[in-house]
Amino acid sequence: MAAMSLVLRAAAAWGARRAASGAAGGAHLPWLGGACRLPGTVVTKGRKTHNTLVQFSAPVRHSSSHGKRMFIIKATKFYDTRFLNLLRFYVFLTGIPVAIFITYVNIFIGEAELAEIPEGYIPEYWEYYKHPISRWIARYLLDPPEKNYEKEMAVLHIEAKKTQMRLMESEARRLMRQRGDGPWYHYETPDKNLIDNSMKSTPDN
């Protein structure tokens, strides 16, 4: 659009100069008289033929708006817009049902109240949570405290064994440096019963 506007402006300026020069000094090239006449000019015929400039306005397309619209080249926003639309869609797709469910639980079920423990009853670990959703998560998704305690003890036991093994390796390296001993490579001595001495019993043969 910008290039078309520049072309039309240049054509208008060229036509105006051509018409002015033809009116002042006559047509230098008579066979170009019709070709040089641009839209917006009229030709008067008499003893002398010349172009009279009435009004010239370059046809510029403004589309449907009142001002001049330019086509500006810029980076596309298609992928950004599509990502934001999909993000909004999936957030609403999961957020609205979750919000409805949480509202229903808070209104119709409510939080637990603190009460005395009946004699002879051992409460479960998930009964110490206050909110119903927290109790459900602790009961069906998380491990019980006893299991977590045993896992931590197992980790501590493994780390203690590693520490003991490092101490033993350090002591072994110290003794190796002190005594000049170590896991050197050597060949085992074969058993003497495997040696064939038959050729020595009869040397003449």
Side-chain angles (χ1 to χ4, degrees), residues 115-174:
E116 294 290 339
I117 299 176
E119 186 177 356
Y121 176 75
I122 301 177
E124 298 290 342
Y125 66 94
W126 47 267
E127 294 181 351
Y128 289 95
Y129 292 90
K130 187 176 182 180
H131 199 273
I133 298 179
S134 302
R135 290 201 301 268
W136 186 86
I137 293 175
R139 183 177 183 181
Y140 295 103
L141 300 181
L142 302 181
D143 293 330
E146 296 83 4
K147 187 175 181 179
N148 291 330
Y149 176 79
E150 292 296 334
K151 290 192 295 184
E152 292 178 0
M153 291 294 103
V155 171
L156 294 177
H157 177 71
I158 293 173
E159 294 299 327
K161 289 293 184 180
K162 290 181 180 179
T163 302
Q164 184 179 3
M165 182 181 63
R166 295 190 188 99
L167 293 176
M168 294 176 63
E169 290 178 353
S170 178
E171 181 66 16
R173 285 194 294 268
R174 186 186 67 82

